[in-house]
Amino acid sequence: MLIEIFCKYVLVLFIICNNQSFCKKLETYVKDYIPFPERIKELELVPNQFSWSMQNEFIFIDNFRDEIFLLKNNGEINLPTGAKWGNEVNSEIIWAGKSHQGIKIVDRLKNNITYMDFRLNTIKTISLNLKLYPDLVAEDPWGLLYIYSQTFGAIFLLDNLSLNIIPFVDLNKERFLSNCISDMETDKDGNLAILGCDGSFYEFSKNGLKTLSYNSILENSKFLVSINNDWLIMNNNGVGKTILSERQIEIPKSSLPIVDIESIESSIAILTIDHILILNVK
């Protein structure tokens, strides 16, 4: 009798969880809330893209003014020394990243990469030996840069200042149906994932072999991050879904709309118009 009741309970729970999204939601806990320092407003900076480091520091890009700045974990704001991106016409910063190697800045129109120290002093600038005019960049844990060029319809690999002119992934040969890429990211194992503008998802191994592909699983998807050995896709409205476990997440309305999103291990950082929200995800 008890076994029969238990079996009926399991069956009902199975039916409910296959028809109700709450059974598949990710658990989130607020880890930190970082309001923008007044200095950002004083400088009239409007960050709309950022990168998050293991030291809990953030590099911001203001695409409107074509400027970058660093928010240190003590709340201090650092600006580049000697750099004049915001004063130049033929400049468009599309990516900035901070790793153990320092800080890297990718300029689309200049088709180059600037290397800086942790105080934002310029060390050197290299020009890409192909006219890629990069659209997106992702950096793996070892400092390799994956550069997406819509001009070539391919992703190229930059290793130790050397650009491989043979595409790491040729999207034309991969039958990539979307006409553009919305986001691109790597995970802790060095796998590369791309999110098409149509919401399609593709994963590639470190050798450039396609290992996963999915059609659109989330309406108006825009952001892609690696989280807990999985991939998380999100839209501006704070709704997200993981690729492998097919679990859902919703960002608090107080942190909407999402401007950008980054992840480190089991945490995600949400960039909004006036603060950063950091969530632990389980």
Side-chain angles (χ1 to χ4, degrees):
M1 183 65 179
L2 289 175
I3 294 178
E4 183 180 353
I5 294 174
F6 175 76
C7 289
K8 287 182 179 179
Y9 170 77
V10 172
L11 178 60
V12 170
L13 184 62
F14 176 81
I15 293 173
I16 292 175
C17 286
N18 275 274
N19 289 278
Q20 302 292 332
S21 61
F22 64 80
C23 290
K24 295 185 177 181
K25 281 192 175 181
L26 288 165
E27 295 181 16
T28 59
Y29 305 91
V30 176
K31 182 178 181 181
D32 203 355
Y33 176 89
I34 306 172
F36 286 173
E38 283 298 317
R39 182 68 172 150
I40 293 180
K41 185 182 296 185
E42 292 172 1
L43 292 169
E44 298 182 341
L45 294 168
V46 182
N48 46 19
Q49 192 176 335
F50 78 143
S51 177
W52 185 23
S53 74
M54 293 293 292
Q55 294 76 32
N56 205 34
E57 296 184 339
F58 301 90
I59 298 178
F60 295 98
I61 301 176
D62 181 339
N63 294 125
F64 302 108
R65 297 185 57 177
D66 203 35
E67 294 280 7
I68 66 164
F69 62 97
L70 174 67
L71 174 61
K72 303 184 71 173
N73 51 27
N74 62 0
E76 180 183 337
I77 299 291
N78 280 8
L79 297 170
T81 302
K84 299 179 180 180
W85 282 292
N87 298 321
E88 297 186 8
V89 176
N90 298 317
S91 176
E92 184 184 348
I93 301 172
I94 58 102
W95 182 84
K98 182 176 184 289
S99 66
H100 64 281
Q101 299 174 329
I103 295 171
K104 303 169 187 174
I105 313 294
V106 179
D107 192 308
R108 179 177 180 272
L109 295 183
K110 288 183 177 180
N111 197 46
N112 66 19
I113 301 174
T114 298
Y115 291 78
M116 312 183 87
D117 63 20
F118 296 114
R119 294 184 178 180
L120 295 182
N121 298 305
T122 300
I123 299 172
K124 60 189 169 186
T125 298
I126 65 167
S127 296
L128 299 174
N129 55 349
L130 283 179
K131 294 182 179 180
L132 299 182
Y133 303 110
D135 293 279
L136 290 172
V137 176
E139 185 174 24
D140 77 2
W142 301 277
L144 302 181
L145 292 187
Y146 295 88
I147 303 173
Y148 165 60
S149 168
Q150 190 168 4
T151 303
F152 282 80
I155 298 170
F156 294 83
L157 181 62
L158 181 76
D159 182 4
N160 194 26
L161 307 182
S162 176
L163 179 70
N164 190 336
I165 62 174
I166 299 174
F168 177 76
V169 175
D170 188 333
L171 298 176
N172 301 304
K173 293 181 179 179
E174 292 292 342
R175 297 181 181 180
F176 185 68
L177 300 180
S178 180
N179 60 357
C180 65
I181 294 179
S182 175
D183 205 356
M184 181 169 70
E185 193 56 78
T186 62
D187 65 11
K188 63 181 180 60
D189 298 319
N191 299 306
L192 176 72
I194 59 177
L195 177 66
C197 294
D198 61 353
S200 56
F201 171 89
Y202 299 83
E203 181 192 75
F204 297 89
S205 69
K206 291 184 291 185
N207 299 321
L209 300 177
K210 184 166 65 177
T211 52
L212 287 173
S213 64
Y214 290 88
N215 293 326
S216 177
I217 64 169
L218 180 68
E219 187 175 358
N220 299 320
S221 57
K222 184 176 181 180
F223 305 107
L224 169 67
V225 293
S226 168
I227 191 80
N228 293 334
N229 298 314
D230 206 337
W231 298 102
L232 173 65
I233 294 175
M234 295 204 68
N235 59 29
N236 287 103
N237 299 321
V239 178
K241 190 173 183 179
T242 56
I243 292 293
L244 302 178
S245 60
E246 297 185 347
R247 300 178 70 187
Q248 297 182 12
I249 184 174
E250 290 187 15
I251 302 302
K253 292 183 179 180
S254 58
S255 294
L256 298 179
I258 295 176
V259 177
D260 199 4
I261 179 171
E262 285 285 309
S263 69
I264 294 179
E265 297 176 347
S266 61
S267 299
I268 58 175
I270 308 295
L271 174 65
T272 75
I273 59 174
D274 59 7
H275 69 269
I276 297 171
L277 178 68
I278 300 179
L279 299 174
N280 277 343
V281 181
K282 293 184 178 181

